Amino acid sequence: MDHISADAAFMRHSTELDPLDTRPAGRVSSWAPRSETGRPVTAFRPGVPKTPDGETLGGHTERQVLRLCEVAGLDGADSAAYARTVLTALGPVAERSLDLPPPYPSFLSDDHTPVEFSLAFVPNADPTLRVLLEPGCGAAGLAQNGRTGLRVVREMAQRWGFSTARLDELEDLFFPPNPEGPLALWCALELVPGGVPRVKVYLNPAASGQERSAETVREALNRLGHRQAFTALPEGDRHLFFALDLGDWEEPRVKVYLAHHDLSAAEAAGLSRVDGGPGRTEITRFIRMAAGHDTGIDPDTGIETPIGTDAGIDADAFGLEAGDGDPRLGRRPVQSCHAFTETASGRPSGFTLYVPVRDYAPHDGEALDRAVAVLGRYGVDPAPLVRSLSAVTSRRPQDGVGLIAYVGLAHQQGRPPRVTAYISSEAYRVRPPVAAPSPRIEAVR
């Protein structure tokens, strides 16, 4: 993947459907973040230090991990162990100064930081913290990046005693001699009490070419025994990721991620293939809430008003193409995930939608409002999410956009709905907020 600076990228137009397309604007916002009650957000602690001069990627990441572990209710011993694990997985780039540019044009985040955090929420429980990272970041090319990633995952397997047999079975499919695409292997660590994480790997279906990605996904599913699964997938614009659960999982999943460009809420409601899964109304409401085009009833006036502080946002300015009253998300595409746990029926047991809220909100105060509203709809206390933002940065949410990258809603058979917020590390750059509506432009790579 050719490296294009953020500023240069703004000047280019493309019809490519990359899930990490970005269009920040170089203006300063005057908006202030608000809670779901309309009161200002005040949980951003002034005592959290800014990144010190001469800081390394590892030092920056370690502090974020430790603070987020506290938010997630993990004890000191587990937090320290997980911080060491993350630094070990990053390898030599952890020692690299943040005064230098990113070591590699990582596709994992907008500013090429090879780390992203997420918090998964269900009612009446601490959130579950996950760290997504690119172990091969900094390698000399995509092939070496993939080999490094495989080595790191296999070292984890030896350390924690889990099998990589399912990953090994797919090596020739996803790690060809001359790979293509924006990534080779990402690794996610789900940080649970006890100091031993649950491990997930994310692979690139386009490793042998975008035109062969569907064939690659079909063959991978067949090899893992899911011979009917491919036909159960809905239509999408691109196969983004193929993911595997490794290690201590109650029901290890095989997951396929799809991109859906210019998606409407009504179309999103038809993507789930889970028996007894979420209803169309639930999915439609989630998409509208996350994208900023839902309405809520004011309990005092009974008046229906848009969720969020910026009710006057121009839909077209944020890529929300209106049509028959159902806006389409026309910037960065929505992602869907289809999880398979059993091979007999060919049906997925899990379905998740991810809305890239950062491309449909002017600043993170607005993105936070929407995430808080979604959490409230599912009976989840939003305080840990607000605390998590101050755990990774000292900046005010209205001073940038992209700190909350995605908001996801997951449904797994036999479990309550799960809301996940994806939080950017912002080690290298903060995307400026959008100060005012601007003409819509096409997506850039």
Side-chain angles (χ1 to χ4, degrees):
M1 180 179 181
D2 293 336
H3 175 62
I4 303 174
S5 74
D7 290 335
F10 303 161
M11 307 305 295
R12 292 187 51 181
H13 291 194
S14 170
T15 58
E16 292 293 321
L17 303 181
D18 287 349
L20 298 182
D21 289 342
T22 178
R23 262 167 281 170
R27 290 188 283 265
V28 178
S29 173
S30 61
W31 276 293
R34 301 277 171 175
S35 70
E36 75 279 15
T37 63
R39 293 188 296 270
V41 173
T42 58
F44 288 80
R45 297 172 293 170
V48 177
K50 297 182 183 297
T51 301
D53 293 338
E55 176 66 287
T56 64
L57 175 62
H60 176 80
T61 303
E62 181 181 30
R63 277 195 303 277
Q64 290 177 324
V65 170
L66 290 172
R67 291 170 181 157
L68 287 169
C69 283
E70 181 181 356
V71 172
L74 296 169
D75 66 28
D78 286 347
S79 300
Y82 283 138
R84 291 192 297 269
T85 294
V86 170
L87 296 188
T88 299
L90 283 174
V93 299
E95 300 301 321
R96 185 181 174 90
S97 171
L98 291 182
D99 293 333
L100 299 172
Y104 185 85
S106 178
F107 186 61
L108 195 150
S109 67
D110 288 349
D111 72 336
H112 305 310
T113 304
V115 177
E116 180 189 67
F117 306 105
S118 63
L119 287 168
F121 299 88
V122 295
N124 305 313
D126 287 328
T128 299
L129 173 62
R130 301 163 183 160
V131 183
L132 178 65
L133 53 89
E134 185 169 13
C137 180
L142 202 58
Q144 185 177 336
N145 182 308
R147 289 193 295 271
T148 300
L150 284 172
R151 175 182 57 77
V152 169
V153 170
R154 287 166 177 160
E155 288 173 353
M156 290 179 181
Q158 291 180 344
R159 177 181 178 185
W160 293 311
F162 64 83
S163 173
T164 62
R166 296 200 301 170
L167 176 60
D168 300 340
E169 179 71 17
L170 306 178
E171 184 171 349
D172 64 305
L173 285 177
F174 292 99
F175 301 92
N178 299 296
E180 300 180 21
L183 76 146
L185 181 149
W186 294 345
C187 176
L189 304 175
E190 185 165 302
L191 309 187
V192 296
V196 178
R198 299 189 181 105
V199 180
K200 296 179 275 190
V201 293
Y202 294 80
L203 309 174
N204 175 26
S208 294
Q210 184 63 47
E211 72 282 359
R212 298 184 62 185
S213 60
E215 176 186 341
T216 297
V217 169
R218 184 193 297 270
E219 175 62 19
L221 289 168
N222 286 345
R223 290 189 189 184
L224 297 177
H226 296 277
R227 298 187 179 278
Q228 303 175 69
F230 187 84
T231 58
L233 295 172
E235 290 187 6
D237 293 303
R238 179 179 295 184
H239 293 85
L240 292 175
F241 312 114
F242 189 91
L244 299 171
D245 290 343
L246 302 176
D248 184 21
W249 293 87
E250 183 178 336
E251 290 184 298
R253 299 160 299 176
V254 175
K255 301 189 290 182
V256 179
Y257 291 75
L258 302 172
H260 305 276
H261 196 67
D262 287 331
L263 189 72
S264 71
E267 290 167 344
L271 295 175
S272 175
R273 298 295 185 269
V274 177
D275 290 334
R280 297 182 64 89
T281 299
E282 182 177 3
I283 295 176
T284 299
R285 183 75 189 275
F286 166 69
I287 289 284
R288 287 178 169 273
M289 291 177 77
H293 270 255
D294 192 41
T295 58
I297 303 294
D298 187 305
D300 297 320
T301 66
I303 297 174
E304 203 172 36
T305 56
I307 287 175
T309 59
D310 296 302
I313 290 175
D314 186 295
D316 188 62
F318 289 93
L320 295 167
E321 300 176 342
D324 298 327
D326 190 11
R328 293 181 176 275
L329 278 72
R331 288 196 166 186
R332 196 183 311 244
V334 172
Q335 296 180 20
S336 67
C337 173
H338 309 269
F340 298 87
T341 53
E342 53 87 15
T343 59
S345 71
R347 305 285 292 184
S349 60
F351 170 71
T352 307
L353 273 176
Y354 306 90
V355 175
V357 63
R358 67 195 185 279
D359 283 280
Y360 300 97
H363 56 77
D364 284 310
E366 176 68 21
L368 178 58
D369 284 347
R370 298 179 194 173
V372 165
V374 172
L375 290 171
R377 178 168 171 80
Y378 289 92
V380 175
D381 179 5
L385 174 60
V386 178
R387 287 165 48 211
S388 73
L389 301 191
S390 65
V392 299
T393 186
S394 59
R395 75 165 175 85
R396 300 181 306 168
Q398 70 266 36
D399 290 338
V401 63
L403 186 60
I404 301 178
Y406 284 88
V407 177
L409 178 64
H411 290 81
Q412 188 75 27
Q413 286 179 338
R415 299 184 182 181
R418 183 177 69 249
V419 177
T420 303
Y422 293 78
I423 300 169
S424 302
S425 173
E426 294 187 337
Y428 293 102
R429 184 175 182 269
V430 175
R431 281 177 54 181
V434 179
S438 58
R440 182 175 182 269
I441 62 175
E442 295 300 317
V444 298
R445 286 189 65 86

